[in-house]
Amino acid sequence: MHPCQNRIALRGPSLTFRGDPFQIGDTAALHYEADGLTLVEAGKITGFGDFEQLRSRLDGHQLTTYDNALILPGFIDTHAHYPQVQMMGAYGKQLLDWLNQYTFVTEQQFHDPAHARHVSELFLDQCLRAGTTTASVYCTVHPSSVEAFFEAAKDRDMRMIAGKVLMDRNAPPALCDDARSGYDESEALIRKWHGQGRLSYAITPRFAPSSTPAQLEAAGALWRRYPGTHMQTHISESRDEVDWVRRLFPEHANYLDVYRYYGLTGPRSIFGHAIHLTEPEWRHMADSGSSIAHCPTSNAFLGSGLFNYERALEYPAPVRVGLASDVGAGTSLSMLQTMGAAYKVAQLGHYSLSAPRAFYMATRGAAQALYLDDRIGSIAPGMEADLLVLDLASTPLIDFRMRYCRSIEEALFVQMTLADDRATRAVYIAGKLAYDAKETMAGNNAYALEAQAKKNAG
Ligand code: GUN
Ligand code: ZN
């Protein structure tokens, strides 16, 4: 193989985090190189720093230079439902009605492997287009929906976490498994997919109301049996849901206690939303090393409430929090848009979320929430080379506005407030160019041509 084929170098303004800005402050945490160089070999980062200082190591690397851009770790979306891309923007309901009226109708279509494969491909391509290189993903109750997703992710060599949804009550019969079949099907999927390439399995009880105690018990037993897997579920998203859990599980002190009791809290567990937590729940989140996926566009869209990030940081050990789209209740796969929404949620809670902190929550902080920060989320030697190149002038308005930015912090804030997937100039997956905006322009045209051809034929 020609040396250049697995050795690449990216030159341009670059950004990563060397620590947690919530702990050590924004300035100490941010590592910005105005003229940065990232060296990559065989899918891993081998060097990162100032171009002049590293240029002697360039030999044998294929160099690409990006101007008016920002190179950063690929974004990480800590909670999304791939089948729900086809029902984003469904009008007029709050959580429980929205689930019954839209979600449970849509998800029934995923018994069809071809449909699941088609939507998986679309979801992953849209993730790439948004600059997201890793996500923690809910499939549907159908094992084939997981097969389809993992196959599509494997084809793209993307680091993805996913799992079969477990639910055995309070959902249409066509979407219900049972405690035994849910366990067996999940176990077969774990054996086949967990640790294959860059894929990891998440045991996925949808949320406490849609699982019987027997199913939650089985999910806990499965996780104990395969402790390297992840566990994902929802918690305390809407007040009606919290009341419902209180009625369904009257013997438990609170919502999180249900999950705790069945062995579903701890490292590598990630809880979507966590808006209406009580003090004991916050404490158990921290003490157990459980993580939260903060889903601001979804919470606004469904009118669920305002996540309290400030509270997550209190207590001697703060809770790990990553940002998430929660598509299809979320209204965008773009983590830039998600950061902008997180800022607005914070403002409504009367505190401010700085741009470095928001970017952290979508990169290294999200990786920490998923317990993957030793592999992804930073630009540093040894890390997997999932990299995003942002165009800092992706629209004429942003181009104009950026001329008035005087610092990297200001520039980041303008990007998270005004930009979206149009800002993705390129994405590298394990050191390979996986998305290039220039080629996609051609791709879009091809799509238009195909549509035109169909129209002509019809
Ligand atoms: N709670 C249980 N299932 C879901 C889901 O699919 N989306 C959201 N936003 N909340 C849920
Ligand atoms: Zn969700």
Side-chain angles (χ1 to χ4, degrees), residues 4 35 83 111-112 129 141 186 269 297 301 312 399 417 436 445:
C4 282
D35 184 11
H111 75 271
D112 173 2
R129 187 191 174 95
V141 73
S186 301
S269 66
T297 72
F301 183 74
D399 184 15
T417 304
D436 186 341
N445 291 342

Side-chain angles (χ1 to χ4, degrees), residues 49-325:
D50 172 61
F51 178 79
E52 287 304 333
Q53 289 188 1
L54 285 182
R55 70 181 308 161
S56 62
R57 289 176 53 192
L58 265 176
D59 226 21
H61 292 74
Q62 186 187 336
L63 176 67
T64 307
T65 301
Y66 290 101
D67 296 318
N68 207 6
L70 184 66
I71 299 165
L72 63 162
F75 289 138
I76 299 167
D77 183 344
T78 61
H79 178 128
H81 303 251
Y82 92 77
Q84 296 179 15
V85 281
Q86 78 183 60
M87 48 157 289
M88 289 171 75
Y91 172 74
K93 298 291 172 199
Q94 298 218 338
L95 175 64
L96 300 177
D97 292 329
W98 175 87
L99 282 173
N100 285 319
Q101 186 161 334
Y102 300 118
T103 314
F104 293 161
V105 177
T106 298
E107 291 194 2
Q108 292 186 46
Q109 293 182 27
F110 288 75
H111 75 271
D112 173 2
H115 184 67
R117 182 64 191 247
H118 170 66
V119 180
S120 294
E121 309 250 2
L122 182 132
F123 173 87
L124 289 167
D125 288 344
Q126 291 301 312
C127 282
L128 281 176
R129 187 191 174 95
T132 296
T133 49
T134 288
S136 191
V137 176
Y138 290 61
C139 304
T140 65
V141 73
H142 316 95
S144 57
S145 76
V146 187
E147 300 273 357
F149 182 78
F150 276 142
E151 277 161 14
K154 191 175 167 208
D155 283 353
R156 288 160 181 76
D157 199 22
M158 292 169 82
R159 182 165 282 293
M160 283 282 153
I161 301 172
K164 175 196 125 68
V165 165
L166 297 166
M167 48 181 170
D168 65 348
R169 65 168 165 176
N170 294 318
L175 284 185
C176 283
D177 52 15
D178 59 51
R180 180 81 252 166
S181 67
Y183 182 102
D184 290 345
E185 289 168 353
S186 301
E187 183 174 43
L189 289 164
I190 290 169
R191 290 203 170 149
K192 179 164 177 192
W193 291 104
H194 183 65
Q196 200 194 121
R198 307 185 73 204
L199 307 174
S200 299
Y201 195 84
I203 295 163
T204 308
R206 177 171 220 120
F207 65 159
S210 58
S211 285
T212 58
Q215 179 159 72
L216 294 174
E217 171 113 43
L222 186 61
W223 200 25
R224 275 192 297 283
R225 178 129 200 233
Y226 298 94
T229 57
H230 298 253
M231 195 298 300
Q232 60 184 353
T233 190
H234 297 83
I235 192 167
S236 281
E237 179 177 0
S238 83
R239 293 213 180 272
D240 288 349
E241 170 206 5
V242 176
D243 290 344
W244 195 19
V245 170
R246 200 174 293 127
R247 291 197 300 278
L248 288 169
F249 297 90
E251 63 283 16
H252 290 278
N254 54 53
Y255 196 160
L256 186 60
D257 191 59
V258 176
Y259 295 130
R260 182 204 59 78
Y261 180 80
Y262 291 107
L264 297 170
T265 59
R268 280 183 302 285
S269 66
I270 182 130
F271 293 88
H273 308 291
I275 297 171
H276 309 286
L277 295 187
T278 58
E279 269 312 300
E281 291 174 290
W282 278 113
R283 279 200 291 277
H284 183 66
M285 281 281 180
D287 292 345
S288 62
S290 305
S291 306
I292 293 173
H294 172 30
C295 314
T297 72
S298 163
N299 299 159
F301 183 74
L302 292 181
S304 302
L306 303 174
F307 175 70
N308 187 351
Y309 199 89
E310 281 211 312
R311 178 59 194 83
L313 296 172
E314 278 175 23
Y315 197 63
V319 180
R320 295 168 187 239
V321 181
L323 277 184
S325 68

